[in-house]
Amino acid sequence: MPNSAAMSRNGLVTEIRTRIRSDPLSSSYDLVGKELGRGKFAVVKKCIEKTTGKQYAAKFLRKRRKGADCRSDILNEIAVLELAAANPHVVALHEVFETSLEIILVLECAAGGEIFNQCVADHDEAFTEKDVMRLVKQILSGVAFLHQNNVVHLDLKPQNVLLTSARPLGDIRIVDFGLSRHMDNITEVREILGTPEYVAPEILNYEPISTATDMWSIGVLTYVMLTGESPFLGDEKQETFLNISQVNVDYSPETFEGISSPAIDFIKTLLVKNPRKRATAEECLNNVWLNSHPHSHPLLLPRSPSNLDEPETSQSESEPESPVPSPELDLIESYLTCPGQGELKAGRDAFSFSEPPLFPTRPEIQQELIC
Ligand code: ADP
Ligand code: MG
């Protein structure tokens, strides 16, 4: 199959070096066990390479979504993975297969799963501040590398930040470059939206995106990793948008019990409305908190694992009929907490932009999610 398409449109890079195999995945890999996860556009399953016995994660991506051809979006995802191959904190791409319906990315397997699970874990399984410092440094290393190469991730959230192992706590692997864009080529932001809770105010305000857009999400991620709470989440999505737009953040001692003040100051350098005033990845790597002597005691947080929704999984080893469970593609997965009840809830909530907005987002946004 041709590796095709040199053209870039709206920040999409579709020129790739990886040879796309057209023989079946099963000729070289055995699918094993249950799903590793699923997202908006993909199902990911564990597989074993027959010749080496090594474990990988096969990400099955449908080429057509809602009747539109999305092959170039997938090529863009491959191109970004190729570009970031030199950074150890971006997941490694091993091989690519293509069938009539799907493109399958064979990725390094991040066996520790999503940091999401530990963000909402019970007290003794939760991250310590020391853990968070190490992991945030690794996230920043990966994101700084992308930014040096003029690439923005645009979907940084706990479901897209994985661990090589959960216990002992391993290292970070950033995944899911489905919304990533090359900054040189972005002409407009209108078709790009991330997940409501992690999305920066400039996206809601229809202003230009930049590398600073990812830095906002890292601020939200750090907040969630330290406190187990989602800083902007409201009962309704419009409330979430309003909280983001007003940078309405709870930095109270109750929420940050047992957490050092340099950690809070670090978050405050990122949750800044003006993107130009937000810390860059390089500045964050030099931040005093990340270069100080870490606290190693567990964070004193009220966490309950009982409310966790298990990720939807299946024992099926066949290739998925439809990898996307959501009935509409303008549904976006998210992460829910209910701090008011003194416990946490994790789930994948559906956010639709097709309802009449209370918050004055532009009406065009309704149709402007990527295919
Ligand atoms: P989507 O674009 O549909 O969100 P992702 O790339 O985020 O797809 O993959 C969906 C989920 O699959 C992730 O949230 C994660 O739980 C799991 N996953 C993805 N890549 C890997 C990997 N390399 N190793 C282990 N699990 C993975
Ligand atoms: Mg994802």
Side-chain angles (χ1 to χ4, degrees):
M1 242 168 263
N3 282 3
S4 91
M7 282 302 294
S8 303
R9 65 165 170 87
N10 198 20
L12 288 179
V13 181
T14 52
E15 210 171 339
I16 64 167
R17 291 190 309 271
T18 308
R19 187 178 69 89
I20 299 182
R21 290 180 59 174
S22 50
D23 55 327
L25 180 79
S26 59
S27 61
S28 301
Y29 296 86
D30 289 318
L31 289 172
V32 287
K34 52 183 194 173
E35 283 175 17
L36 291 167
R38 64 168 66 210
K40 293 183 292 292
F41 305 134
V43 171
V44 179
K45 295 184 173 189
K46 194 188 280 187
C47 64
I48 306 278
E49 193 175 34
K50 290 180 179 175
T51 52
T52 61
K54 277 174 88 179
Q55 186 173 295
Y56 290 94
K59 177 172 178 178
F60 296 84
L61 288 139
R62 283 200 155 247
K63 290 191 278 187
R64 288 192 79 76
R65 297 167 194 159
K66 275 211 155 174
D69 179 5
C70 290
R71 190 170 187 271
S72 59
D73 292 88
I74 303 170
L75 293 181
N76 174 70
E77 186 164 350
I78 296 168
V80 175
L81 287 165
E82 286 177 352
L83 176 141
N87 188 280
H89 301 300
V90 171
V91 76
L93 176 67
H94 184 57
E95 287 206 89
V96 179
F97 288 79
E98 184 165 8
T99 68
S100 57
L101 295 177
E102 290 174 318
I103 292 184
I104 306 155
L105 312 186
V106 181
L107 301 159
E108 165 191 13
C109 184
E114 304 171 11
I115 62 163
F116 175 81
N117 299 327
Q118 258 131 314
C119 288
V120 294
D122 205 8
H123 175 239
D124 46 346
E125 291 182 0
F127 294 131
T128 64
E129 183 172 333
K130 184 179 169 184
D131 296 332
V132 178
M133 289 168 74
R134 186 175 68 83
L135 298 178
V136 168
K137 268 193 208 168
Q138 295 188 354
I139 296 168
L140 286 166
S141 150
V143 172
F145 187 90
L146 293 172
H147 291 181
Q148 282 154 14
N149 286 284
N150 257 339
V151 169
V152 280
H153 186 287
L154 296 181
D155 203 12
L156 291 169
K157 58 180 176 180
Q159 294 87 347
N160 290 337
V161 180
L162 310 186
L163 291 163
T164 53
S165 73
R167 257 173 304 276
L169 191 60
D171 294 315
I172 290 291
R173 296 292 184 266
I174 300 170
V175 301
D176 194 357
F177 294 83
L179 291 186
S180 294
R181 292 294 182 275
H182 207 280
M183 289 304 298
D184 296 345
N185 301 312
I186 296 184
T187 50
E188 55 184 3
V189 65
R190 60 165 56 205
E191 66 176 291
I192 302 166
L193 265 184
T195 302
E197 282 169 82
Y198 300 93
V199 91
E202 58 268 26
I203 291 195
L204 299 181
N205 291 334
Y206 212 72
E207 288 162 3
I209 53 167
S210 67
T211 51
T213 308
D214 279 344
M215 299 316 295
W216 174 276
S217 305
I218 292 178
V220 181
L221 260 175
T222 309
Y223 190 109
V224 176
M225 289 168 81
L226 285 169
T227 67
E229 292 179 14
S230 186
F232 299 110
L233 186 71
D235 291 336
E236 305 278 331
K237 62 181 178 294
Q238 301 301 340
E239 197 184 322
T240 303
F241 294 156
L242 202 60
N243 287 338
I244 293 168
S245 176
Q246 296 174 342
V247 197
N248 184 13
V249 188
D250 170 16
Y251 291 113
S252 67
E254 297 75 48
T255 300
F256 281 87
E257 194 181 343
I259 299 168
S260 72
S261 47
I264 301 171
D265 294 340
F266 173 84
I267 296 170
K268 286 181 177 170
T269 67
L270 294 170
L271 299 183
V272 174
K273 184 156 185 180
N274 183 342
R276 283 185 294 277
K277 296 196 172 148
R278 239 171 259 158
T280 65
E282 300 288 348
E283 284 164 357
C284 284
L285 283 166
N286 291 320
N287 181 282
V288 60
W289 175 53
L290 292 180
N291 293 286
S292 62
H293 188 68
H295 286 219
S296 55
H297 57 80
L299 299 172
L300 303 170
L301 296 170
R303 295 174 186 221
S304 163
S306 57
N307 294 315
L308 299 187
D309 288 345
E310 284 292 314
E312 293 169 74
T313 55
S314 87
Q315 297 292 336
S316 163
E317 294 190 5
S318 62
E319 295 185 12
E321 274 292 297
S322 168
V324 184
S326 21
E328 293 182 85
L329 285 167
D330 59 356
L331 301 182
I332 298 177
E333 68 182 66
S334 88
Y335 158 79
L336 276 180
T337 66
C338 298
Q341 296 166 13
E343 58 184 9
L344 297 165
K345 272 190 191 165
R348 292 173 193 273
D349 188 33
F351 280 81
S352 166
F353 289 86
S354 55
E355 291 168 23
L358 300 172
F359 177 72
T361 47
R362 297 206 179 190
E364 307 92 286
I365 266 178
Q366 293 172 21
Q367 299 112 37
E368 288 166 358
L369 292 168
I370 68 167
C371 67

